[in-house]
Amino acid sequence: MAYWLMAADNGPKAYEVPPKPIPVDWETSHCTSRDDHHVAEVAEGDAVALVRVGRHGGVVAHGYTTAVVADHSSGGERFSLRCDPRRISVRFDETYLSAPVPLRLLPGIATSTKARYARSSPHRPVPLLEISDEAWQALVRAVEKPGPYEWPVAWNLEPGAVVSRRDVHDTYGGQRQGAIVRCGTTPNTFVFLGAGFNGAPFAYRWADDGALALVGKPEEGTLTASTGEPVSFENRLVLRHLRSGIPLRIFHSSGRKPVIYLGEVVVDQERPVEDWIDVSAPPPPILSPRRGTQERAHEQRRFRAPLLRVHPVTELAPFLSPEQQPRRRRQTIRLGVTRSVNDAESATQPLATRLSDTEAIQHAANRLRAVPDGAVPELTDAAELADLVIRRHRTAGLGDLRRLIRDPDTREPAIQRLLEQHTWVFGGEYMGAAARRALSLSDQLDIPLIRGDGTLHGVEIKRANIPKLVVVHRGRPVVGAPVHEAVVQAMNYLRGLDEQRHTLLNEYGVDCRRASMTVIIGNPAFVREQLTTEEVAEAIRTYNSHLSRIKVLTYSELLNGAHRSLRLAGAPTPVPRRR
């Protein structure tokens, strides 16, 4: 397997009339003349990293080549004809558009090559560059430990912050009107929900697989849902933001009032356009030559708006209007400096509710550094710092778990490695993971946990992509065969533990007599039947009501429970009033 660096597109141009179709493949060849051909032999399965070219650039995503669509073929003697380029299909597993990795951190790349990636020119495209395994490993390590960023790359708003749209554009750029805006001074693209296009509200809705469907700009004419159709400049900003390496951020807008920042999203790579909906527009008025009055044409102009599918990069803020947000969350931003507007009210609130996690960690660490040598620091400061660090680590783990369970190609080992580092998602009744997986002589548990009373609890991990997780039998949703097979496997584990109870108790000190199991399997987004998430959950609950020591849990339920636990753990403790 080879490793490649690939330059991102420069993005759509507003003056493209008519607009060009959105490319779905990537070219790996660049020919300047009949005898000058530059072809990168990228094979299927090779690792590919996307580089955002320019002064705000760096590596912003990495993935792998899914297929070689077309091979390079030269025009031969036909010098006037362009060569057929070599094309590949790429899927990006990890996207970090807001935290680019500088090329200077990758060893083995010439300075002149890095300089070419630092310049952005549509007339001088940067070819693909093959890098070494050492450079790729350095990239992976840099992604795990993002460094500090300064304006214009840095982003200083946390999801849920209420700001004025004027401050947003003064700090990050972009025009002050419109629903989809590209910034010129910073690498960002904004989507303002509620701004509206041609009288049609710019709305949104959640899909069953967890994707957010945004209503894009209406297009005049009859367009299909294919990404190869020409679309407007505004819709291309959303559909091509990943190819351009630009973060896509959404706000909730309501006229001239302040906007609320909801969070960062990324466009769906498999199905960026869910469907096209009809949007009616009133006919334009015309002047009648006989009466000298304005009349409207009988023909009504037809518009169709695309439903753009995006996925949250992190947990989005609640979809509330700015009036429903607490005033202490309203902020003013100037060149990356964020401050609270209502400082008198926010001063009475706990620090973790007023600042972001990064600012709160830095604030608590500064208080500990200010303790004189030899003095004992306040336990509350140390406990607050530890709580903030743990909460941030757990939030990042939930983001990784969300990405894994949404990928249909994810296997059990990848999910198991992540859950072994975040056993807290299974609840507070477990003290932690057992040191030995092979407690039984014949079986091996995926994740063995220890309850507070010293008994064993095993976790069996299955794939998230289970199309027959729930099927329809005689008009009712019931669990499918994969669930039965996983439960039978858990029964065999429990039987083996019961038969060797005395041996395991004497040798490891673990009581397996009252052991239990949890089977984590499937994601409602991959269910083949036309069932809602609630119907899938109801079928699983009905099945669990007839089990004794085994519980079946979907990955969506596990993730939702972990989110609730994290929010409750981070909620401030109410102060009792004096009577």
Side-chain angles (χ1 to χ4, degrees):
M1 182 179 66
Y3 305 95
W4 301 85
L5 290 181
M6 180 171 57
D9 294 344
N10 290 317
K13 304 298 185 295
Y15 51 81
E16 290 180 355
V17 179
K20 298 180 180 179
I22 298 177
V24 295
D25 302 323
W26 299 80
E27 295 186 6
T28 65
S29 61
H30 175 61
C31 306
T32 57
S33 64
R34 182 174 59 182
D35 300 326
D36 190 8
H37 305 280
H38 302 277
V39 182
E41 298 294 339
V42 184
E44 181 178 351
D46 286 354
V48 178
L50 183 66
V51 182
R52 186 168 68 205
V53 181
R55 58 191 181 99
H56 311 317
V59 183
V60 293
H62 66 264
Y64 62 95
T65 304
T66 58
V68 178
V69 179
D71 289 328
H72 172 265
S73 61
S74 61
E77 300 296 332
R78 302 174 299 165
F79 176 72
S80 60
L81 299 180
R82 183 174 181 266
C83 297
D84 294 331
R86 194 173 193 273
R87 297 180 178 274
I88 61 173
S89 297
V90 178
R91 178 180 177 84
F92 297 106
D93 294 330
E94 297 289 338
T95 59
Y96 32 94
L97 307 179
S98 300
V101 177
L103 290 180
R104 56 180 173 81
L105 300 180
L106 308 184
I109 303 178
T111 305
S112 59
T113 303
K114 296 179 181 179
R116 291 196 63 184
Y117 277 100
R119 296 190 299 267
S120 177
S121 175
H123 305 291
R124 300 181 60 185
V126 181
L128 271 74
L129 174 67
E130 186 175 3
I131 61 177
S132 62
D133 179 74
E134 180 184 3
W136 186 267
Q137 297 302 326
L139 169 64
V140 174
R141 291 192 299 269
V143 171
E144 296 176 353
K145 298 180 180 179
Y149 298 96
E150 299 179 355
W151 190 90
V153 179
W155 181 258
N156 301 93
L157 289 179
E158 294 292 333
V162 177
V163 296
S164 67
R165 181 164 180 176
R166 178 179 179 180
D167 288 345
V168 172
H169 294 306
D170 287 344
T171 305
Y172 300 105
Q175 61 183 6
R176 303 176 186 273
Q177 296 179 351
I180 302 178
V181 178
R182 184 176 67 175
C183 303
T185 56
T186 62
N188 289 293
T189 297
F190 298 149
V191 176
F192 293 91
L193 303 178
F197 277 121
N198 296 334
F202 195 89
Y204 56 88
R205 74 182 186 190
W206 289 99
D208 293 337
D209 60 348
L212 181 64
L214 310 176
V215 180
K217 180 179 180 179
E219 309 277 359
E220 187 173 8
T222 56
L223 298 178
T224 64
S226 173
T227 56
E229 288 287 346
V231 294
S232 63
F233 171 73
E234 290 80 4
N235 291 331
R236 287 164 64 88
L237 287 178
V238 178
L239 296 175
R240 292 189 54 171
H241 88 96
L242 182 56
R243 294 183 64 95
S244 304
I246 303 298
L248 182 64
R249 308 182 187 276
I250 58 177
F251 293 81
H252 188 283
S253 174
S254 58
R256 297 182 179 180
K257 298 179 181 180
V259 298
I260 171 176
Y261 175 59
L262 300 180
E264 182 183 352
V265 296
V266 63
V267 69
D268 194 308
Q269 302 181 52
E270 300 296 334
R271 190 158 56 109
V273 179
E274 179 176 323
D275 199 359
W276 291 79
I277 59 176
D278 292 328
V279 179
S280 302
I286 59 175
L287 183 65
S288 175
R290 293 180 298 174
R291 300 181 181 178
T293 58
Q294 287 188 351
E295 297 180 353
R296 290 189 177 274
H298 296 289
E299 297 80 7
Q300 193 175 29
R301 301 176 64 184
R302 303 295 300 177
F303 288 88
R304 303 187 70 191
L307 289 179
L308 308 174
R309 287 171 48 87
V310 297
H311 293 277
V313 176
T314 58
E315 186 176 7
L316 297 182
F319 282 69
L320 302 177
S321 62
E323 295 81 3
Q324 297 174 301
Q325 295 294 319
R327 289 186 58 82
R328 60 181 174 80
R329 298 292 299 274
R330 184 170 176 176
Q331 298 175 349
T332 300
I333 50 177
R334 286 290 187 272
L335 292 179
V337 179
T338 308
R339 65 178 179 86
S340 175
V341 174
N342 196 343
D343 293 331
E345 182 180 353
S346 62
T348 61
Q349 301 294 333
L351 180 66
T353 63
R354 291 188 281 115
L355 303 177
S356 63
D357 287 345
T358 303
E359 294 171 333
I361 291 175
Q362 185 177 3
H363 193 278
N366 291 336
R367 291 204 307 268
L368 292 178
R369 295 192 190 100
V371 177
D373 296 338
V376 179
E378 293 289 340
L379 294 180
T380 56
D381 294 339
E384 180 183 358
L385 178 60
D387 179 69
L388 291 170
V389 173
I390 293 175
R391 183 168 45 182
R392 180 162 186 175
H393 173 68
R394 291 180 174 181
T395 303
L398 292 183
D400 296 337
L401 179 60
R402 185 185 299 107
R403 286 191 292 270
L404 287 178
I405 65 177
R406 286 178 177 174
D407 188 358
D409 299 328
T410 301
R411 301 288 181 178
E412 296 94 332
I415 303 177
Q416 177 180 335
R417 287 192 298 268
L418 180 62
L419 291 180
E420 286 176 349
Q421 303 174 5
H422 298 275
T423 56
W424 63 272
V425 301
F426 300 106
E429 59 179 324
Y430 306 109
M431 300 172 56
R436 183 182 177 90
R437 291 177 55 195
L439 293 174
S440 178
L441 298 180
S442 58
D443 301 319
Q444 189 177 48
L445 301 176
D446 289 341
I447 300 180
L449 302 175
I450 302 298
R451 293 182 180 271
D453 58 354
T455 58
L456 180 68
H457 181 85
V459 178
E460 179 64 24
I461 298 175
K462 297 299 180 182
R463 293 189 59 179
N465 186 7
I466 305 293
K468 294 184 178 181
L469 176 70
V470 174
V471 297
V472 177
H473 179 68
R474 295 184 178 180
R476 292 183 177 272
V478 298
V479 297
V483 179
H484 292 288
E485 295 176 359
V487 170
V488 170
Q489 184 179 357
M491 291 180 180
N492 293 331
Y493 286 162
L494 294 177
R495 184 181 63 181
L497 294 174
D498 291 340
E499 293 175 351
Q500 306 174 47
R501 181 234 172 184
H502 297 285
T503 303
L504 299 178
L505 183 61
N506 296 331
E507 186 172 354
Y508 304 112
V510 178
D511 191 359
C512 301
R513 181 177 54 181
R514 300 183 303 274
S516 57
M517 292 282 297
T518 296
V519 178
I520 307 178
I521 180 173
N523 188 356
F526 299 115
V527 174
R528 184 178 302 172
E529 301 286 349
Q530 297 296 328
L531 300 174
T532 63
T533 305
E534 290 75 13
E535 291 175 334
V536 174
E538 182 64 25
I540 297 293
R541 284 195 296 269
T542 303
Y543 186 73
N544 282 328
S545 63
H546 298 278
L547 299 178
S548 177
R549 299 166 59 185
I550 301 175
K551 180 181 179 181
V552 179
L553 199 66
T554 62
Y555 283 101
S556 61
E557 294 175 347
L558 178 68
L559 195 62
N560 293 336
H563 276 301
R564 287 193 295 267
S565 175
L566 198 59
R567 285 195 297 268
L568 291 176
T573 303
V575 179
R577 296 181 179 180
R578 296 183 178 180
R579 296 183 177 178

